[in-house]
Amino acid sequence: MDSLLIEGGNRLEGKLDIPRSKNASLPLLCLSLLTDKKLCYRSVPDVADIRSLESLLASLGVQKLAPGEYHAKEIKSVKADYELVRKMRASVLVLGPLLARTGEAIVSLPGGCAIGERPIDIHLDGLKKMGAEIQLEAGYVHAKAKRLVGTDIDLHFPSVTGTINLMCAASLADGKTILEGAAREPEVQEVAHALNKMGAKITGEGSTRIEIEGVRSLSGLEWEMPADRIQFITYLAAAAITHGDLECSPIAASQIESVLDSFRQMGCEVETNERQKSVRLISRKAFKPIDIETAPFPGFPTDAQAQLMACLSLADPESGLSHIEENIFENRFQHVSELRRMGADIHVKGNLAAIKGVPKLSGATVMASDLRASASLVLAGLAAEGETKVLRVYHLDRGYERLEERLQSVGARLRRVPQ
Ligand code: EPU
């Protein structure tokens, strides 16, 4: 297991091109299961989760013809094996497409993970309402339906992958499906747009009510993977925490407005340029403490909570406390104990964290526990006095593409230590 060695205290300055979105690319690649035509993607992110999904898709019959080109002329297996699914929860995204295309899907239950229990009842209840017969057998979901039938579905929470799975399934269903309480995240909108380009009839994406008129078949696709709003925010946070000046692109700033607001409240200067799809963050003074509540889009994303907490741990100690309320996952404060080891003053009660700024963090050996927690430890290391060693970097490699190189190019001093 590789680790990262970070020499803290360098101000980051310059321009960065941010890689494309893992969380949009994962469901976009799964669209290959919905059609016997070829799909061609540009700018597929080069991260471990994408490679895991490619292995799973290959086991089902999706051929990778060239980089970014996927073709499932025939589905050769409807079983998503535990060995492949366990590597990544997002594997559940094959369930809706497989069932809709072949009438059957056997998918290993993804199970919980470091950040929470993460049930998939919303996915399963929706498919059942569309007429699927679903059984749980020896750790697998076994779903069958000759053809799914459009219906009205109420999601009890706006699950991102739940909404996408049901949208995919409904695209090939008989008749109209209405998803009420749907997720509004940019990744959901992106998948809807790609499906429409393939011939699906989806309206309302970006709102809480999505309507899908089923079609008989879907065509191929040429598509460019969209911006990664969470990596984007992470690099802006790197500028903030090192009191630096970074201009990052590409992004539609509206996708990260809630976080840009938080940076502004903290006292950072934020300049957006819609035409160039860039955001520049300049951090000149000590942060003001702020309060954050994570919420579904367009609220503050849970995936950016850990990174902002690292920044707030260095807020002006004389100006009071910051508070973070985590409302999406039940166990997403695992970075707190590690940040404390670096000198942060953070107290957690349930889903609430109170953060009292300290004048400085000190380098330490810390353990990454999940993807975004790892990012927050790297950020803390960039600002800390002395050397920080972040263990278990494989968590970062799941969703951050060549993070060290990018940070080095704008003045950070860090290197990977292979084990
Ligand atoms: N939930 C249920 N039942 C379900 C599905 C979800 O109760 O059937 C609950 C979850 O337990 C959780 C909440 O609903 O408490 C939100 O979960 P959601 O389903 O929206 O999350 P997800 O689709 O599994 C995606 C991202 C996550 C991101 C969340 C929230 C992908 C591949 N993953 O997960 O990304 O945190 O949405 O925005 O898109 C990450 O990239 O680090 C990451 C964890």
Side-chain angles (χ1 to χ4, degrees):
M1 288 185 211
D2 295 357
S3 49
L4 276 184
L5 263 190
I6 308 166
E7 188 63 51
N10 291 294
R11 183 171 181 269
L12 304 192
E13 199 174 336
K15 290 189 179 187
L16 280 177
D17 183 24
I18 308 299
R20 303 309 166 92
S21 166
K22 160 183 90 76
N23 286 352
S25 298
L26 291 168
L28 285 167
L29 294 192
C30 291
L31 302 187
S32 57
L33 294 168
L34 282 167
T35 172
D36 60 2
K37 305 292 186 302
K38 197 168 81 176
L39 277 62
C40 298
Y41 290 108
R42 284 187 303 283
S43 313
V44 179
D46 181 16
V47 293
D49 272 9
I50 295 290
R51 292 189 285 275
S52 301
L53 182 69
E54 283 179 345
S55 304
L56 173 60
L57 291 175
S59 76
L60 305 174
V62 180
Q63 285 182 286
K64 188 173 175 183
L65 306 173
E69 284 187 29
Y70 302 85
H71 192 192
K73 202 160 187 211
E74 278 168 349
I75 299 296
K76 70 173 197 216
S77 163
V78 295
K79 185 168 180 183
D81 204 72
Y82 173 71
E83 277 312 309
L84 295 165
V85 172
R86 76 185 175 89
K87 291 195 179 146
M88 189 187 48
R89 282 201 85 266
S91 303
V92 73
L93 284 165
V94 303
L95 177 62
L98 263 185
L99 179 63
R101 166 117 173 240
T102 69
E104 187 173 16
I106 307 171
V107 177
S108 172
L109 277 166
C113 73
I115 60 176
E117 212 178 299
R118 307 186 76 176
I120 56 164
D121 56 308
I122 293 169
H123 307 234
L124 301 185
D125 289 349
L127 293 173
K128 273 187 210 157
K129 268 209 100 182
M130 295 170 79
E133 202 183 288
I134 294 190
Q135 270 158 359
L136 300 181
E137 300 162 354
Y140 282 78
V141 173
H142 191 164
K144 279 195 225 168
K146 268 211 182 80
R147 188 172 180 207
L148 293 166
V149 182
T151 182
D152 292 5
I153 300 171
D154 255 312
L155 282 69
H156 69 72
F157 188 89
S159 162
V160 176
T161 50
T163 302
I164 293 175
N165 234 337
L166 296 176
M167 214 165 57
C168 288
S171 291
L172 286 181
D174 184 13
K176 188 195 240 181
T177 301
I178 299 177
L179 302 179
E180 289 282 6
R184 302 171 59 191
E185 270 67 4
E187 294 75 20
V188 175
Q189 299 179 42
E190 187 75 17
V191 174
H193 297 156
L195 277 167
N196 280 344
K197 182 101 188 290
M198 293 167 73
K201 293 187 175 158
I202 301 174
T203 54
E205 70 279 7
S207 77
T208 54
R209 180 188 162 98
I210 301 179
E211 294 196 15
I212 307 122
E213 188 70 54
V215 295
R216 270 280 165 196
S217 64
L218 293 166
S219 67
L221 178 70
E222 286 193 15
W223 202 255
E224 178 158 357
M225 294 307 187
D228 189 322
R229 60 194 175 103
I230 306 300
Q231 286 193 73
F232 205 100
I233 291 163
T234 305
Y235 287 100
L236 293 181
I241 204 165
T242 62
H243 292 294
D245 177 353
L246 283 184
E247 184 177 331
C248 300
S249 61
I251 194 93
S254 56
Q255 291 193 359
I256 54 170
E257 206 45 63
S258 58
V259 183
L260 296 183
D261 274 352
S262 297
F263 281 129
R264 288 191 188 102
Q265 287 170 35
M266 286 161 64
C268 300
E269 291 165 39
V270 177
E271 295 167 11
T272 59
N273 185 325
E274 279 300 321
R275 204 170 43 82
Q276 289 174 8
K277 289 185 167 277
S278 66
V279 177
R280 180 174 175 196
L281 186 143
I282 311 167
S283 165
R284 297 185 207 270
K285 45 189 186 208
F287 304 132
K288 287 185 215 140
I290 61 164
D291 290 348
I292 290 173
E293 289 175 23
T294 65
F297 188 82
F300 189 100
T302 174
D303 289 346
Q305 177 256 107
Q307 298 90 314
L308 270 278
M309 186 185 284
C311 297
L312 292 172
S313 68
L314 284 167
D316 177 12
E318 305 302 318
S319 306
L321 297 179
S322 297
H323 298 94
I324 296 186
E325 185 175 325
E326 170 55 52
N327 296 312
I328 307 296
F329 290 110
E330 62 272 25
N331 193 20
R332 215 171 193 184
F333 281 144
Q334 293 202 40
H335 41 286
V336 169
S337 54
E338 303 303 290
L339 290 172
R340 274 200 206 125
R341 303 184 61 244
M342 299 177 71
D345 185 353
I346 305 171
H347 291 270
V348 171
K349 199 166 178 199
N351 69 334
L352 291 174
I355 306 134
K356 184 168 186 338
V358 292
K360 70 174 176 74
L361 295 173
S362 311
T365 298
V366 287
M367 182 82 86
S369 54
D370 73 79
L371 178 56
R372 310 303 171 187
S374 317
S376 83
L377 299 179
V378 172
L379 294 172
L382 291 173
E385 228 174 68
E387 195 174 77
T388 296
K389 187 174 191 182
V390 182
L391 305 176
R392 297 199 178 165
V393 174
Y394 66 86
H395 285 294
L396 266 179
D397 294 335
R398 288 187 38 221
Y400 286 88
E401 190 179 302
R402 290 188 280 284
L403 174 98
E404 310 94 274
E405 281 170 42
R406 279 198 169 72
L407 288 173
Q408 281 159 0
S409 74
V410 289
R413 288 180 61 193
L414 74 170
R415 67 187 165 90
R416 182 176 288 250
V417 184
Q419 297 270 303

